[in-house]
Amino acid sequence: MPTVFQNPSELKDSIGKHLGYSEWLSMEQPRIDQFADATLDHQWIHLDAERAKSGPFGATIAHGYLTSSLVSHFLPQIITVGGISMGINYGADRLRFPSPVRVGSKLRAGAELIEAEDAKDGSVQTKIRVTVEIEGSDKPACVIDSLSRYYPA
């Protein structure tokens, strides 16, 4: 169940709050293969299961940028902002990949609202720290300070 804000201004009252968690998502080889094709990144560590068995991670792993791109899937499960004409992904301030995502791993995201402030264009800009967790692991797969802008209706 997402944390619901009735309008963008309400975000400013929740700085420092943990917003919740997404559902779990399984990272399977077809998704990794499709990402490789879309980005033209066909490195063996992502695609060659036989070779990857004897590699540093014991299996193929997801591209780091694939993991970070899933933030667009996870965030709507965590936060909903009403009273807007649109919301946009404005970028990221910080991005790290502390742990590899092996094929077959389950991922979910947790989110904390770090900043929310009025932007010059009339929107409310947020910085949400999204931590992509790997089921059963103490280290996250990805930590990203995601920037979004919410434009009032």
Side-chain angles (χ1 to χ4, degrees):
M1 184 68 95
T3 299
V4 177
F5 296 92
Q6 297 303 314
N7 58 63
S9 291
E10 284 186 5
L11 290 158
K12 294 180 276 186
D13 297 328
S14 293
I15 296 169
K17 289 181 83 175
H18 194 272
L19 301 171
Y21 294 93
S22 71
E23 297 292 322
W24 290 99
L25 175 73
S26 185
M27 182 60 74
E28 300 302 335
Q29 192 63 50
R31 184 184 318 274
I32 296 169
D33 294 345
Q34 289 173 340
F35 190 84
D37 288 342
T39 60
L40 306 177
D41 181 351
H42 294 98
Q43 186 181 30
W44 66 269
I45 197 68
H46 305 300
L47 303 176
D48 188 336
E50 286 305 311
R51 186 174 176 191
K53 283 181 187 176
S54 59
F57 307 111
T60 55
I61 61 169
H63 304 71
Y65 287 121
L66 168 53
T67 304
S68 66
S69 73
L70 291 172
V71 168
S72 294
H73 169 72
F74 292 135
L75 270 179
Q77 296 176 41
I78 299 170
I79 180 175
T80 300
V81 181
I84 62 172
S85 60
M86 70 175 170
I88 63 165
N89 172 357
Y90 194 66
D93 270 354
R94 184 174 186 270
L95 173 62
R96 299 288 182 270
F97 304 113
S99 188
V101 176
R102 288 173 188 79
V103 68
S105 297
K106 287 189 175 181
L107 306 175
R108 76 171 181 179
E112 178 185 357
L113 183 60
I114 303 298
E115 293 176 6
E117 57 192 21
D118 293 325
K120 290 179 182 176
D121 65 0
S123 68
V124 173
Q125 180 169 305
T126 61
K127 180 188 295 187
I128 298 176
R129 180 159 298 141
V130 180
T131 302
V132 179
E133 302 174 351
I134 305 169
E135 187 177 50
S137 177
D138 292 336
K139 286 179 80 174
C142 177
V143 180
I144 182 171
D145 286 353
S146 178
L147 304 177
S148 299
R149 286 194 173 179
Y150 297 95
Y151 293 83

